Amino acid sequence: MVYSCESDGNAAGWRIAVADYLVPGIPEAMRVIGRASTPLAALSRGVAAVRRGTLIVNLPGSEHGATESLRAILEILPHAIDQLAAVDHAPRPQA
């Protein structure tokens, strides 16, 4: 996973600039899981946002980081997508 406070690469920045609104809980969940592997995950610039009804999630550039982050949010993505689609649904049963 690439963790950085450096200014090179601005993927997160342009997503914030075009977002209708941010969804801060998603990158928070990714950082929590990432910190189990390395404390440097706290430096991640992950962003999740909605633009024109589309959920945009900024994943890390490394295969390990992207896989780890996606696993952290897979369980909540169906609910997020349902909310964007304004689908009325019952809570999902806990596994």
Side-chain angles (χ1 to χ4, degrees), residues 1 10-11 18 20 34 39 41-43 46-47 49 51 53 61 63 69-70 76 81-83 89 91-92:
M1 191 173 223
N10 196 20
V18 302
D20 294 330
L43 302 177
V47 171
R51 168 129 170 109
E63 182 178 348
S69 293
L70 192 54
I76 63 172
I81 292 166
D82 286 351
Q83 286 184 320
H89 56 275
R92 297 180 187 274

Side-chain angles (χ1 to χ4, degrees), residues 58-76:
N58 186 48
L59 296 173
S62 73
E63 182 178 348
H64 175 75
T67 301
E68 186 175 72
S69 293
L70 192 54
R71 283 187 183 139
I73 63 171
L74 269 177
E75 187 176 321
I76 63 172

Side-chain angles (χ1 to χ4, degrees), residues 20-75:
D20 294 330
Y21 56 92
L22 298 177
V23 187
I26 292 175
E28 288 172 10
M30 294 187 316
R31 278 189 283 276
V32 166
I33 295 301
R35 289 200 66 211
S37 296
T38 175
L40 300 178
L43 302 177
S44 171
R45 293 182 290 167
V47 171
V50 173
R51 168 129 170 109
R52 297 182 183 166
T54 299
L55 179 64
I56 303 166
V57 178
N58 186 48
L59 296 173
S62 73
E63 182 178 348
H64 175 75
T67 301
E68 186 175 72
S69 293
L70 192 54
R71 283 187 183 139
I73 63 171
L74 269 177
E75 187 176 321

